[in-house]
Amino acid sequence: MNNAKKKILIVDDSELNRSLLSDMLSDSFEIVEAENGMEAMTILHEQELEICLMLLDIVMPIMDGFEVLAMMNQKGWIKTIPVIMISAETGGAYIDRAYDLGAIDYISRPFDERTVMHRVTSNFMLTVKQKEMSEMLSEQIYEKEKDNSLMIEILSHIVEFRNGESGLHVLHVHAITDMLLEQLVKKTDKYPLSAQERRLIGNASALHDIGKISIPSEVLNKPGRFTPEEFEIMKGHTIEGANMLSAIPFRGNESLIQLGYQICRWHHERYDGKGYPDGLKGDEIPIAAQVVAMADVYDALTSERVYKPAYTPEQAMHMILNGECGVFNPLLLDCLRDISGKLKEELNVISFGHVTESGIRDTVERTLKSGGQDVSNRSIRLLERERMKFKFLADISGEIMFEYSDVPQMISLSEWGSETLGMPVKIVDPATNAQWLNIFPEKDFADFTEGVKRTTPENPVFNRKYLLTIGGEKRWCKVIAKVMWGDSEAPEFDGAIGKIVDINDETVSMQSLERKAEHDSRTGLFNHNAAKKRISAALAEGKGKHYALAVFDLDNFKSANDVYGHLFGDEILETVANRIRENIRSTDIAARMGGDEFILFMEYKDSVEPQIKRIFERLTKRHKDFDVSVSMGIACTKDCKEDYDTLFTMADTAMYTVKRESKNSYCFYNPTMTTVLRGEE
């Protein structure tokens, strides 16, 4: 035990109780206090590795002691942080439930100082001893796994050396096997292999060719094609390898031996039954042997041999998928296709130390997981150093960095982000925090929380744009989050880290450009393309509603230009556009098609003619010395199949009917009208 005091977390809603316990324990421990379960969860989330023991009350507001224990079980904290319950409740049901949820002791109130000190010190020392034992066990398992792996590697490399092949073949087959198995259990539950079973298959794959020890070297290393007799000798390595393993005394029931037997004997069987030595077909071949067979073929193709050059990964993949190297399980072919890119990258960087060491460490971690393996002091120091580096980079980045925790739901801001937003560093239950929701609107924050939970371990990045209120000003921001997933076989959402990036200036600039691209520069109305998109969308979404489209142009616009000049003509166009804006609703759509032609789109209920008449009368008012004359045609959706092109053609036909017959008037389309092509006027 080092000189620094260990931290104890006291959780009780009574300030008096916390003070009493603190006074009793503060000489020997550093005390951290929480007045309810939610506050305790916040402290644990931040100081999980520093809290050595918790004193927990049962009856508390917001979140009671049982809820805290349940949450600690869910987060895995109960394995590393011993909990002593403190309560005036002495009923058997309360005590039993506390123990069932993982508490290690129970102290009833009123407190007796000697009892408290004895219970806390005893449980703390017991926990320390358990951690020491766990570390010793960890090292023992590590050394055992290291020795086992080393022996398998030595034996396999002897085979490879005698076979004249690269020593990397064993490691490549191991790596390919692991990747195929991982993808297989993701793709299907047909082969329910646990993580431990997959690890054992990977280790056993190193033994697939040990039977080659019995093959004469002149056959084993022959550079040319085998004669039929030589091929029969070579095929014998499968049975020889299986026999070697089955002959090992007292170990026949070991899983590694049984899997090694399957792999040695049947890794040259084929899914169509045309392999050897036993002609097994389909899933008669154990899945371990099927996977190693594919891994063996892939690496053999991509490696140089005495009888062939190396193929490229792309060529090897094509040959296997094309059936040129035998028939494989279709599911495994899909898996191979899925991991092709990752496979190429992994085999390029593989090394002896990396693969062996990582595999052993993974084994130790899995073995100790159920026992609550502790983190070494060195690991804690490294984690703390990484936390300090992250904090420093977050504070100098000029961006709002955050961490989102789901259980309990909490936002942790960087100091710079906290100052910028005017919020505390820790925001507990942000979904109900009025100050936070004033910055990040409730609907958008719900979209964010749902969005991060829809990510996957394969695609863990969430990226979306929101309009947030920063410094009292609404600004467009990009929220980017990297989601963290638990390391269980069925990974669970574990929170996210991310940043809020101000993209307001570029967003506003882009929106301005988009608006300019959609609007006519002379009149400020929509251009035809922008109007058509909006009208088409309204027609698609508003099935059953009544809409009308009016198409019109100025009858004597050319004479206005000829008599008064083009500047006056521009003034007429602007005047007409202003009259349109003044006499339509915000939901109506108005556009200048070009020249002196305009369109209007509007919704109506019983009859649209009163609206049309009012707009027509406003448009045709005199401007200075010029009589504004308009020819307008109108089409209604009740008369067509409600698509824009049909509606426009009908309105355009009605307009040209007006121009032919009277001008300065309007009429509604009817089927007796003759369609007029532009230029026929």
Side-chain angles (χ1 to χ4, degrees):
M1 190 171 170
N2 58 32
N3 293 328
K5 289 183 179 180
K6 300 297 183 181
K7 285 185 181 179
I8 287 182
L9 174 58
I10 300 174
V11 189
D12 196 312
D13 61 321
S14 167
E15 185 176 359
L16 176 61
N17 289 338
R18 297 199 306 272
S19 297
L20 287 172
L21 290 169
S22 180
D23 290 343
M24 294 175 189
L25 300 169
S26 57
D27 287 343
S28 302
F29 300 94
E30 179 182 345
I31 305 301
V32 182
E33 297 183 17
E35 64 181 24
N36 58 63
M38 182 62 75
E39 187 177 333
M41 295 303 295
T42 303
I43 293 171
L44 286 178
H45 186 270
E46 185 67 23
Q47 304 181 47
E48 173 191 355
L49 300 178
E50 301 165 29
I51 302 296
C52 69
L53 187 139
M54 179 193 290
L55 296 173
L56 178 64
D57 188 18
I58 292 179
V59 181
M60 294 182 293
I62 303 179
M63 179 184 286
D64 66 28
F66 292 135
E67 290 174 309
V68 171
L69 284 174
M71 202 72 76
M72 290 181 71
N73 276 276
Q74 183 177 338
K75 300 288 285 186
W77 294 335
I78 198 71
K79 296 178 181 178
T80 56
I81 301 174
V83 178
I84 299 176
M85 303 303 291
I86 50 173
S87 179
E89 302 291 342
T90 57
Y94 278 91
I95 297 174
D96 289 345
R97 188 178 179 195
Y99 284 135
D100 288 343
L101 287 170
I104 62 171
D105 207 343
Y106 198 101
I107 301 175
S108 60
R109 290 200 298 262
F111 301 128
D112 176 74
E113 183 171 355
R114 285 178 299 176
T115 300
V116 170
M117 281 299 301
H118 176 73
R119 296 278 186 86
V120 169
T121 304
S122 298
N123 282 296
F124 172 71
M125 295 306 298
L126 177 61
T127 301
V128 169
K129 182 59 68 176
Q130 288 175 334
K131 289 179 179 179
E132 290 175 354
M133 294 295 292
S134 176
E135 289 176 356
M136 290 174 58
L137 179 60
S138 172
E139 289 303 315
Q140 291 173 4
I141 294 174
Y142 172 75
E143 291 301 324
K144 179 182 176 182
E145 285 294 326
K146 185 177 177 182
D147 290 343
N148 288 344
S149 259
L150 182 60
M151 291 304 297
I152 291 174
E153 293 290 335
I154 290 172
L155 180 59
S156 301
H157 284 298
I158 289 172
V159 175
E160 298 302 320
F161 177 78
R162 189 169 183 274
N163 196 23
E165 296 177 353
S166 164
L168 285 175
H169 177 63
V170 171
L171 297 177
H172 285 176
V173 169
H174 188 292
I176 299 167
T177 297
D178 283 348
M179 293 169 71
L180 284 170
L181 288 170
E182 181 182 0
Q183 186 63 25
L184 182 64
V185 296
K186 288 180 182 177
K187 184 176 286 291
T188 179
D189 57 3
K190 183 177 180 181
Y191 306 100
L193 298 168
S194 67
Q196 183 180 6
E197 288 171 322
R198 300 198 301 272
R199 178 183 60 80
L200 283 172
I201 293 171
N203 285 343
S205 70
L207 302 171
H208 69 284
D209 273 344
I210 61 169
K212 287 184 178 178
I213 292 176
S214 66
I215 305 300
S217 58
E218 60 271 18
V219 175
L220 192 62
N221 295 314
K222 181 179 179 180
R225 294 178 64 86
F226 290 134
T227 65
E229 294 77 13
E230 291 169 337
F231 186 52
E232 288 301 318
I233 294 172
M234 189 65 182
K235 286 162 61 176
H237 81 277
T238 55
I239 296 175
E240 289 295 331
N243 290 340
M244 288 179 191
L245 292 176
S246 63
I248 295 175
F250 313 120
R251 296 288 186 174
N253 292 327
E254 293 281 349
S255 298
L256 183 66
I257 298 298
Q258 293 176 349
L259 288 169
Y261 179 95
Q262 295 173 8
I263 291 168
C264 284
R265 185 174 185 104
W266 294 311
H267 72 283
H268 282 289
E269 300 287 357
R270 289 294 177 260
Y271 206 67
D272 60 356
K274 295 182 180 179
Y276 63 86
D278 299 316
L280 300 184
K281 184 177 182 180
D283 282 329
E284 293 175 354
I285 311 166
I287 190 61
Q290 291 188 50
V291 173
V292 174
M294 179 172 282
D296 187 31
V297 168
Y298 180 90
D299 189 62
L301 290 172
T302 55
S303 303
E304 186 176 349
R305 294 287 187 263
V306 294
Y307 53 85
K308 63 172 265 308
Y311 293 105
T312 66
E314 292 75 19
Q315 290 173 321
M317 189 70 64
H318 176 77
M319 293 168 71
I320 293 173
L321 296 177
N322 206 36
E324 298 175 35
C325 306
V327 178
F328 292 95
N329 186 332
L331 275 173
L332 288 181
L333 291 174
D334 286 343
C335 292
L336 184 66
R337 188 183 294 108
D338 292 341
I339 66 170
S340 58
K342 183 180 175 184
L343 185 61
K344 180 180 177 181
E345 178 182 344
E346 180 72 13
L347 296 186
N348 279 338
V349 300
I350 202 168
S351 66
F352 289 90
H354 169 74
V355 173
T356 304
E357 193 74 13
S358 66
I360 294 170
R361 287 295 179 192
D362 186 53
T363 298
V364 175
E365 182 181 341
R366 285 199 178 95
T367 305
L368 292 175
K369 193 169 185 180
S370 60
Q373 181 183 6
D374 186 36
V375 183
S376 68
N377 289 332
R378 178 174 179 275
S379 297
I380 293 175
R381 289 196 299 273
L382 290 173
L383 285 170
E384 184 59 28
R385 184 183 302 171
E386 290 302 313
R387 181 186 293 179
M388 290 173 63
K389 284 161 58 178
F390 172 78
K391 180 180 180 299
F392 176 73
L393 292 172
D395 289 341
I396 67 171
S397 67
E399 295 174 336
I400 299 170
M401 315 289 283
F402 68 88
E403 180 179 353
Y404 170 70
S405 168
D406 186 47
V407 182
Q409 192 176 76
M410 180 173 65
I411 296 286
S412 303
L413 296 170
S414 62
E415 289 185 12
W416 192 91
S418 171
E419 292 172 6
T420 301
L421 296 177
M423 293 287 296
V425 171
K426 302 291 182 188
I427 307 163
V428 179
D429 198 11
T432 62
N433 185 300
Q435 189 181 358
W436 173 253
L437 296 179
N438 186 51
I439 294 169
F440 205 136
E442 183 176 4
K443 182 179 178 182
D444 289 338
F445 186 65
D447 177 78
F448 164 77
T449 57
E450 292 166 6
V452 293
K453 291 176 184 178
R454 283 196 299 268
T455 62
T456 64
E458 293 77 24
N459 297 290
V461 177
F462 174 87
N463 188 336
R464 195 154 299 170
K465 186 168 70 174
Y466 298 106
L467 188 60
L468 307 183
T469 302
I470 299 178
E473 179 186 353
K474 289 192 178 296
R475 299 187 66 83
W476 284 105
C477 296
K478 182 187 292 184
V479 179
I480 307 168
K482 171 70 178 294
V483 177
M484 297 175 289
W485 294 85
D487 58 0
S488 59
E489 286 194 45
E492 295 182 355
F493 175 79
D494 201 31
I497 55 173
K499 62 182 181 178
I500 299 173
V501 183
D502 190 320
I503 57 169
N504 191 71
D505 292 344
E506 51 263 48
T507 301
V508 170
S509 177
M510 182 61 68
Q511 289 174 342
S512 176
L513 290 173
E514 290 173 351
R515 282 195 296 271
K516 287 180 180 178
E518 289 185 332
H519 288 76
D520 171 57
S521 60
R522 172 57 57 194
T523 64
L525 300 176
F526 285 120
N527 59 39
H528 187 207
N529 284 336
K532 180 177 179 179
K533 288 180 183 177
R534 283 167 169 73
I535 294 170
S536 297
L539 291 171
E541 295 169 5
K543 297 293 185 183
K545 293 183 178 180
H546 298 304
Y547 293 106
L549 180 69
V551 178
F552 67 91
D553 69 5
L554 307 180
D555 294 327
N556 304 314
F557 183 67
K558 186 175 182 303
S559 66
N561 281 325
D562 293 343
V563 174
Y564 300 101
H566 288 284
L567 290 178
F568 184 77
D570 291 342
E571 186 179 324
I572 292 296
L573 292 175
E574 291 167 3
T575 297
V576 169
N578 287 333
R579 291 176 179 176
I580 292 172
R581 274 190 288 267
E582 291 167 0
N583 291 281
I584 63 173
R585 301 161 299 188
S586 60
T587 54
D588 296 337
I589 299 170
R592 180 189 176 198
M593 293 178 58
D596 62 344
E597 293 183 310
F598 297 83
I599 59 175
L600 286 173
F601 178 79
M602 60 196 73
E603 183 184 354
Y604 67 94
K605 291 187 177 179
D606 300 322
S607 172
V608 75
E609 185 160 9
Q611 294 171 239
I612 294 293
K613 182 179 180 182
R614 177 178 53 80
I615 293 170
F616 179 81
E617 289 174 351
R618 299 293 194 279
L619 290 176
T620 53
K621 288 168 59 178
R622 184 178 179 84
H623 176 71
K624 296 183 178 178
D625 295 328
F626 182 75
D627 291 323
V628 179
S629 177
V630 169
S631 293
M632 179 185 291
I634 307 100
C636 297
T637 52
K638 63 183 179 61
D639 299 319
C640 74
K641 58 182 181 179
E642 297 187 353
D643 71 274
Y644 176 80
D645 290 332
T646 302
L647 199 63
F648 177 84
T649 299
M650 292 162 55
D652 197 45
T653 299
M655 181 189 74
Y656 273 91
T657 299
V658 173
K659 292 183 74 68
R660 282 198 308 266
E661 295 179 358
S662 59
K663 292 189 178 181
N664 199 29
S665 183
Y666 66 86
C667 79
F668 287 83
Y669 172 82
N670 69 69
T672 64
M673 291 178 176
T674 304
T675 301
V676 177
L677 298 176
R678 299 301 178 98
E680 289 185 359
E681 185 184 2

